[in-house]
């Protein structure tokens, strides 16, 4: 099966990775931190970083022709699980604003650090994009 990379121009240019890889109708979404176009982690805490990281994921998904409801699996890596849980209501509200009330299979994993030292969160996922 052939595959193609998906690298939206509105996201930072990838180096050594792809934002997404489409294999058939399955999109594998590379891990996204809260990097903005200028390659800076957005200021603020976990809520602001979640918003930017998830926006980056959805940008890649849409570039491949998908919609938020096409997400089937999401993994969230966190440097501070307690901080994420303390802000869970707000993060859930933001999810619903950005992606609706359907949730994919999900996992949250605590890690000691991420690629960018300032990053508090990284989100990766898998989507199955139906023909529309």
């Amino acid at each position: 099966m052939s595959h193609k990379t998906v690298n939206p121009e509105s996201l930072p240019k990838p180096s050594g990775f792809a934002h997404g890889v489409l294999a058939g109708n399955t999109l594998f979404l590379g891990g996204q931190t809260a990097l903005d176009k200028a390659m800076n982690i957005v200021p603020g805490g976990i809520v602001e970083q979640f918003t930017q990281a998830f926006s980056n994921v959805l940008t890649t998904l849409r570039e491949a022709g998908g919609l938020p409801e096409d997400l089937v699996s999401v993994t969230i890596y966190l440097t501070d699980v307690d901080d994420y849980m303390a802000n869970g209501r707000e993060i859930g509200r933001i999810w619903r604003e950005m992606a609706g009330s359907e949730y994919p299979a999900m996992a949250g994993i605590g890690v000691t650090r991420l690629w960018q030292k300032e990053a508090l969160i990284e989100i990766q996922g898998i989507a199955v994009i139906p023909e529309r």
Side-chain angles (χ1 to χ4, degrees):
M1 171 184 342
S2 66
H3 63 276
K4 82 173 204 177
T5 58
V6 180
N7 292 312
E9 288 187 19
S10 62
L11 294 181
K13 184 177 181 183
S15 177
F17 70 98
H19 289 296
V21 175
L22 187 61
N25 68 334
T26 303
L27 178 64
F28 297 88
L29 294 150
Q32 294 289 333
T33 59
L35 281 177
D36 61 17
K37 180 70 173 163
M39 295 288 291
N40 297 310
I41 295 291
V42 297
I46 189 66
V47 173
E48 293 81 7
Q49 287 200 23
F50 171 84
T51 303
Q52 181 67 48
F54 193 47
S55 175
N56 293 347
V57 167
L58 295 179
T59 295
T60 304
L61 176 60
R62 288 186 177 103
E63 179 80 12
L67 300 170
E69 57 264 27
D70 298 329
L71 287 167
V72 296
S73 179
V74 169
T75 302
I76 301 173
Y77 300 93
L78 303 157
T79 61
D80 188 339
V81 175
D82 292 334
D83 186 28
Y84 183 89
M85 291 173 66
N87 289 281
R89 280 197 130 101
E90 180 67 7
I91 290 168
R93 183 190 63 74
I94 292 166
W95 177 289
R96 288 185 298 279
E97 283 180 8
M98 297 174 77
S101 59
E102 295 296 317
Y103 293 92
M106 295 181 77
I109 300 169
V111 297
T112 56
R113 71 161 283 200
L114 296 165
W115 192 259
Q116 298 94 8
K117 289 182 180 180
E118 309 84 22
L120 304 173
I121 187 168
E122 184 167 337
I123 304 172
Q124 76 178 121
I126 301 171
V128 176
I129 303 171
E131 289 188 32
R132 293 189 164 85

